[in-house]
Amino acid sequence: MFVRRPRNHTKTMPAAFSLFVVAVLLFAPVRATANDTLSLFAGTHIGFSVTSPAAGSTAFDVSAGGDLSLCRCGVLGEEGYYSFASRFQAAIHNDLVFSDEESVSLKLSFRRSVFEAAMLASLIDDGSGATYFNPSWKMSTELVSLSNDGVVSLKYGGYVAWLPGVPDDHFYEGIHAVYRIDPSITLGYELAAGGSWEYYYEQPVYVLPGEPGGADRHDLILDVTGGVDGFAGYFTEWAVSGGVSWRISNATFPVDAAEDRLTAAIEATLFTSPHRSWTIEGAFSAEGIRYFSRPARSSAGVYGEDKLLFLEMSASARTEWSPDQRTYVSLDGSFGYSLSNDPFLGGWYAKGVLALTL
């Protein structure tokens, strides 16, 4: 999610108002209590990545950097709690490009309701317009507790994506109803359904190729997701989730901007701690996309009759070792592969990071 300053247009007022609300909530003071916990972490890392797009040359990147994190949590009243976290990351890459990322988040819980607000940003431009600003917010509340230990909740979330240099800035809002049941402490099920709206205030709708109309792009997304999770022993957690979404967009021209599509996704995760000094995590995900009106190109770059299909798969693993629960050494690795009936799309990537945190 990335962001950029909205143009001077009256339709950007909802985004501006949301930015103001998130800023006030994030920086509002939280009264300290005797049960507060304050944590400070500093780390350094080296990383290596390879990216090989279907249309283009393979790119290599080596980086070294560090990060600083501050976390604070405590209780609010008799049944509430809060947690605050901030993080600064910076790295220098093999082409002498400097990158940075700053994040701050606040979570408040009051009995059956939870509010979260966050900001993610990059403040230093490396010359390619890489700065971005991304505030987001979430709210959830428990509506009904059922007799079979099930719970029905309502969740709302939104964000503003602001990225200089490209016309992809947008405002997002979504609301979902969630049914959750935990028949035992080792097994749980969840089903969610809802919709969301995206407003691309920098992208006009084209009435003819090369001729923008007077309206901006709006997307409506309807989705259904489900999942199951549980414990396999005392030190192992697992989860499997999947869902289907249908995007309806008024962006139809030019031809490569037609966005109506059906998406199906699945994800599996595993976390285990066989020893107090070790943790191991793994994840696998797959996502398939079928466009309803956007055609695929031939090897000559000409649009044909076939509709665009896209499949992306990724796998990641992480292991962390701590000799004294004060010093942590971690190794992260990930691999992704995508393919399409459009020869100009797809490719693969691989990434590894070795980190030391104190």
Side-chain angles (χ1 to χ4, degrees):
M1 295 179 290
F2 301 99
V3 276
R4 172 181 182 174
R5 184 179 303 278
R7 61 186 179 185
N8 186 16
H9 196 294
T10 57
K11 292 183 179 180
T12 62
M13 184 60 67
F17 176 75
S18 300
L19 285 173
F20 172 76
V21 172
V22 173
V24 171
L25 290 171
L26 275 175
F27 295 104
V30 178
R31 179 178 297 178
T33 70
N35 296 319
D36 279 1
T37 300
L38 183 65
S39 302
L40 180 65
F41 301 96
T44 183
H45 67 270
I46 55 174
F48 176 78
S49 67
V50 183
T51 304
S52 180
S57 58
T58 301
F60 300 88
D61 179 61
V62 178
S63 63
D67 61 88
L68 183 66
S69 301
L70 176 65
C71 305
R72 175 183 167 188
C73 58
V75 297
L76 290 174
E78 297 181 355
E79 299 184 42
Y81 68 88
Y82 78 91
S83 62
F84 174 83
S86 60
R87 186 177 188 182
F88 170 77
Q89 295 176 278
I92 185 74
H93 300 262
N94 58 324
D95 50 4
L96 300 182
V97 171
F98 180 82
S99 64
D100 71 300
E101 184 175 86
E102 296 77 33
S103 64
V104 59
S105 64
L106 175 67
K107 183 176 183 179
L108 303 174
S109 175
F110 303 97
R111 300 187 64 184
R112 297 183 178 183
S113 299
V114 178
F115 173 82
E116 297 179 62
M119 289 185 183
L120 181 66
S122 178
L123 304 178
I124 302 176
D125 191 351
D126 61 5
S128 63
T131 57
Y132 56 86
F133 181 65
N134 180 202
S136 61
W137 53 94
K138 297 179 182 178
M139 288 179 284
S140 65
T141 184
E142 183 180 311
L143 299 178
V144 181
S145 295
L146 305 177
S147 57
N148 61 349
D149 295 328
V151 175
V152 178
S153 302
L154 189 65
K155 295 185 178 181
Y156 160 79
Y159 65 83
V160 176
W162 178 17
L163 176 64
V166 295
D168 292 329
D169 305 353
H170 61 279
F171 172 71
Y172 166 93
E173 287 184 300
I175 188 167
H176 294 79
V178 182
Y179 171 68
R180 171 80 188 188
I181 181 172
D182 294 278
S184 69
I185 61 173
T186 60
L187 189 63
Y189 303 92
E190 187 170 289
L191 180 65
S196 54
W197 171 66
E198 292 181 356
Y199 171 36
Y200 291 79
Y201 46 82
E202 290 191 332
Q203 294 185 13
V205 175
Y206 286 77
V207 293
L208 291 173
E211 184 180 334
D216 295 328
R217 175 182 164 186
H218 297 265
D219 289 9
L220 175 66
I221 305 100
L222 305 176
D223 58 86
V224 177
T225 60
V228 56
D229 55 76
F231 295 98
Y234 290 101
F235 308 107
T236 301
E237 303 176 20
W238 60 271
V240 179
S241 62
V244 178
S245 67
W246 178 27
R247 179 183 290 265
I248 307 167
S249 176
N250 65 344
T252 55
F253 287 97
V255 67
D256 58 354
E259 294 297 335
D260 289 3
R261 61 184 184 262
L262 184 69
T263 302
I266 187 171
E267 181 180 25
T269 61
L270 178 69
F271 173 87
T272 185
S273 181
H275 187 274
R276 62 178 300 182
S277 298
W278 287 93
T279 60
I280 302 172
E281 302 175 56
F284 172 81
S285 64
E287 181 179 78
I289 303 175
R290 186 194 188 282
Y291 286 81
F292 295 123
S293 57
R294 180 176 174 180
R297 291 167 291 184
S298 66
S299 57
V302 179
Y303 289 102
E305 297 295 329
D306 295 335
K307 303 307 178 187
L308 180 62
L309 299 173
F310 193 81
L311 175 64
E312 182 176 20
M313 296 171 288
S314 64
S316 63
R318 184 177 194 270
T319 181
E320 184 178 82
W321 173 69
S322 174
D324 53 8
Q325 281 68 58
R326 294 183 178 179
T327 303
Y328 299 86
V329 179
S330 63
L331 178 63
D332 295 74
S334 60
F335 175 81
Y337 179 74
S338 57
L339 65 159
S340 171
N341 60 347
D342 187 321
F344 294 90
L345 300 176
W348 62 270
Y349 72 88
K351 183 178 180 180
V353 177
L354 177 65
L356 171 65
T357 303
L358 303 175

